[in-house]
Amino acid sequence: MGAAEIVRTIVQEFPLALYGSMLVGVICAFLGVYIVARRVVFLGAVMTQVSVMGIALTFLPFFPLPHTVGSLVVTLATVVIISRLLTGKKIPRDAVLGVVFVTSIAARILIMQKSPKVEVAEIENLLRGDILFVTPELFILMIVAFVVAMGAHLLLFKEFTYVSFDPETARTQGYNAVWWDTAFYLLAGVVISFATHMVGDIYVFGFLVVPPVAAMLLARKVTHIFIVSVLIGLLSAPVGLFLAFLFDLPSSPAIVGVASVVLGIAWIVNVARRR
Amino acid sequence: MATIIEFQDAVLGYGSKAILRGITFSIDTGDYFGLVGPNGAGKTTILRTILGTLRPLSGTVTAQGENGLPLRFGYVPQRDTIDYALPYTVEEVVMMGRYRQRGLFRRPGKEDREAVGRCLDHVAIADLAGLAFKELSGGQKQRVLIARALASEPDVLVLDEPTNGMDLSSRLAILELVHRLHRDDGLTVLLVSHLLEDVANYVSRLAIVERDFFKVGKVDEILTGQNLSTMYELPVDVRTIDGRKVILSGGGNGGR
């Protein structure tokens, strides 16, 4: 297939895959800046695994919810608990996240073991996520999550950045840091839940981390970091999809791979700048 | 001068655990008030109660302006409580002091930018406005945080361990700056530190705090060898050399 034919195929036959992956790329790259800045990168991995476990739970007879709803409910419930534990001082942050991470994976494996075989295959497909087969329903849900999360962050940018930068002083100014943190994690939870269901955990976690880190290496102002991260999230998706078609590669790893190459270039640029 | 902060027989602590009991003192408008004590003595507990982020377990604590409205605090936190992951500029950091005035959903405007410029100028760091906060020296960072506190148009400037980890010249420069803000602008200042000499040589009233030991009054009344020996549980003497108070401990080798 030539380049033009690949582009035509992607745009005409897989438009939801193209626009969906760009949508997820943008919102994850945006939220990821906060996640990397707050030093809770592992939270991204944890939330994707919790979301996946939520999907797996819906295969059990006592949790008969649609996959998306199940994933959302479990993710948001976990977020509320985690956000409380993350602000506490008794258990270290990474220990809290580690416990939730490993518990989610263990629970998922146990659930899969107890599911009929035909459903195990289905679960595996859902857990991997498949960009090429994004459904219109999921795409619409993702747009809603995108608008809500981006809208909230753009309207409340100064509050989220202040609480993240200096929670103690923000508290003396009347900002309830715990409340703002919980609000942030809930918004992130909604996005991660839908996005993981749509494009898979590797893609979501990759875009929560790789574009923000690349942007931090390239940009020198906070607003520029957000913009560069979002641009990397936006552009990696079509380039990765194109390469996946060209070289017959799985799409999610190909897209994350493109973002990682950008990160590598950013690192080289950063090193060169310092010399 | 009117009383703006008042503790009446307050018991302070966390959860059900009392850390300080029977705390009674007040701070008036225009005071330059120091709160000193060893690490872990309860200074932060008193500070948080004043700032309203901690409620007293019993007794009463009021923090009210002369107009009857809640006090506005310009808080300068310890520098290590700040997250340095993102490269906020000095101007952006100081602008955070204006956020409360703006309220939710509203972006800072021209008036706020002008206020930030004035505050940077007032603490003599206007030339640093575009630099990344995280790349500044300790003394410069402290000035930025003071400028941010001023940008919030406070009734009381509250500084928590402002000279921690600084070299001598930076320490003196920060203390002189705070002294100037009190003297020239008439700002009420609350200075919290475990560095006794830093506080004793600048404030007009002093509280020394240690568990089960709390004294408050004018510096000369409070800063006595007897009080300090009780607080630190070792022999301490207070001398005045060239008008400055010097704390001598143990065998008289000096130090804090």
Side-chain angles (χ1 to χ4, degrees):
Chain A
M1 234 189 321
E5 199 181 339
I6 289 174
V7 171
R8 198 165 44 247
T9 304
I10 292 172
V11 173
Q12 289 179 354
E13 294 182 30
F14 298 98
L16 293 185
L18 176 64
Y19 304 130
S21 56
M22 289 165 78
L23 205 61
V24 173
V26 166
I27 190 68
C28 286
F30 183 87
L31 293 177
V33 175
Y34 286 103
I35 287 174
V36 172
R38 285 165 181 244
R39 295 177 174 81
V40 286
V41 165
F42 200 29
L43 180 74
V46 170
M47 278 155 80
T48 53
Q49 292 312 313
V50 168
S51 169
V52 162
M53 195 259 287
I55 297 170
L57 265 178
T58 59
F59 286 85
L60 292 178
F62 62 83
F63 204 69
L65 294 172
H67 302 318
T68 313
V69 178
S71 165
L72 185 64
V73 167
V74 172
T75 306
L76 293 186
T78 310
V79 161
V80 170
I81 296 166
I82 285 183
S83 61
R84 287 277 163 182
L85 293 173
L86 285 179
T87 52
K89 288 183 177 161
K90 209 158 194 173
I91 312 171
R93 278 182 169 199
D94 50 355
V96 170
L97 296 175
V99 167
V100 180
F101 182 77
V102 77
T103 307
S104 305
I105 293 176
R108 189 185 82 204
I109 292 168
L110 290 173
I111 292 164
M112 286 169 69
Q113 284 294 317
K114 288 295 175 189
S115 299
K117 275 190 176 176
V118 61
E119 289 189 347
V120 170
E122 198 179 342
I123 293 172
E124 288 282 11
N125 282 336
L126 277 167
L127 302 190
R128 272 206 308 271
D130 197 334
I131 294 172
L132 297 183
F133 298 102
V134 172
T135 63
E137 293 78 18
L138 257 181
F139 184 71
I140 289 167
L141 275 177
M142 196 60 233
I143 289 178
V144 173
F146 178 91
V147 170
V148 170
M150 281 301 270
H153 275 90
L154 292 177
L155 284 171
L156 302 168
F157 185 77
K158 69 181 196 302
E159 285 78 12
F160 278 120
T161 49
Y162 192 11
V163 171
S164 173
F165 173 72
D166 185 359
E168 196 177 328
T169 305
R171 210 172 288 129
T172 69
Q173 304 283 306
Y175 296 100
N176 185 328
V178 173
W179 190 94
W180 283 101
D181 275 345
T182 306
F184 169 77
Y185 292 130
L186 283 173
L187 284 169
V190 171
V191 168
I192 289 172
S193 169
F194 290 153
T196 304
H197 192 183
M198 191 162 110
V199 295
D201 53 352
I202 295 171
Y203 190 107
V204 174
F205 184 49
F207 275 79
L208 284 172
V209 179
V210 179
V213 173
M216 283 177 178
L217 291 170
L218 289 171
R220 287 173 177 171
K221 288 194 168 186
V222 175
T223 45
H224 295 175
I225 288 175
F226 279 98
I227 292 167
V228 172
S229 183
V230 162
L231 284 176
I232 295 171
L234 180 73
L235 299 176
S236 296
V239 176
L241 264 182
F242 176 83
L243 294 175
F245 272 78
L246 186 65
F247 298 110
D248 192 22
L249 299 168
S251 45
S252 279
I255 295 172
V256 174
V258 169
S260 300
V261 169
V262 175
L263 171 59
I265 294 167
W267 182 74
I268 292 167
V269 169
N270 188 51
V271 170
R273 256 193 211 151
R274 284 168 183 260
R275 286 188 178 174
Chain B
M1 285 197 294
T3 296
I4 48 174
I5 296 170
E6 189 165 26
F7 282 61
Q8 284 281 1
D9 198 23
V11 176
L12 312 178
Y14 300 89
S16 57
K17 188 181 172 190
I19 291 176
L20 298 163
R21 296 172 188 280
I23 303 297
T24 299
F25 73 100
S26 62
I27 298 175
D28 298 338
T29 48
D31 257 355
Y32 193 170
F33 192 92
L35 183 60
V36 296
N39 288 326
K43 299 187 297 292
T44 302
T45 307
I46 293 177
L47 183 62
R48 285 183 177 163
T49 310
I50 290 173
L51 293 170
T53 58
L54 187 67
R55 289 187 178 181
L57 301 180
S58 68
T60 58
V61 175
T62 52
Q64 208 168 53
E66 289 176 277
N67 50 11
L69 295 172
L71 282 181
R72 252 188 211 186
F73 292 104
Y75 179 56
V76 180
Q78 295 186 32
R79 294 187 305 284
D80 58 8
T81 62
I82 289 171
D83 184 18
Y84 295 104
L86 292 175
Y88 290 100
T89 63
V90 166
E91 195 170 18
E92 286 169 335
V93 172
V94 177
M95 185 62 83
M96 290 175 186
R98 305 288 301 172
Y99 284 176
R100 185 176 54 181
Q101 280 100 314
R102 286 303 114 235
L104 285 177
F105 307 122
R106 287 185 60 200
R107 301 258 161 159
K110 187 182 167 200
E111 184 192 329
D112 299 299
R113 282 191 292 277
E114 286 171 356
V116 166
R118 281 196 301 274
C119 293
L120 287 171
D121 209 30
H122 204 47
V123 299
I125 51 166
D127 55 324
L128 304 181
L131 299 185
F133 174 72
K134 68 177 185 176
E135 284 166 16
L136 303 180
S137 69
Q140 289 171 325
K141 279 186 185 134
Q142 205 62 52
R143 281 176 187 267
V144 174
L145 296 178
I146 292 171
R148 184 180 65 172
L150 295 177
S152 68
E153 297 172 7
D155 299 309
V156 183
L157 179 65
V158 180
L159 303 104
D160 190 5
E161 304 281 4
T163 55
N164 240 4
M166 283 186 193
D167 59 44
L168 183 63
S169 62
S170 303
R171 257 174 62 198
L172 292 176
I174 290 297
L175 291 168
E176 285 298 332
L177 169 65
V178 175
H179 182 64
R180 179 169 62 80
L181 293 172
H182 166 70
R183 187 193 60 211
D184 297 350
D185 302 350
L187 200 55
T188 308
V189 176
L190 170 58
L191 179 58
V192 180
S193 179
H194 70 282
L195 302 173
L196 198 48
E197 281 180 12
D198 279 5
V199 180
N201 283 300
Y202 288 91
V203 302
S204 50
R205 291 178 66 229
L206 186 67
I208 53 176
V209 56
E210 170 64 306
R211 287 167 202 260
D212 304 323
F213 184 79
F214 183 81
K215 295 247 177 198
V216 61
K218 289 187 176 170
V219 174
D220 288 333
E221 297 165 7
I222 298 300
L223 204 68
T224 63
Q226 191 184 354
N227 279 340
L228 297 184
S229 298
T230 306
M231 183 169 77
Y232 288 109
E233 294 177 334
L234 58 94
V236 178
D237 194 11
V238 181
R239 305 261 173 88
T240 302
I241 301 172
D242 290 339
R244 287 186 65 83
K245 294 194 183 308
V246 179
I247 316 297
L248 304 171
S249 65
N253 293 327
R256 292 178 296 276

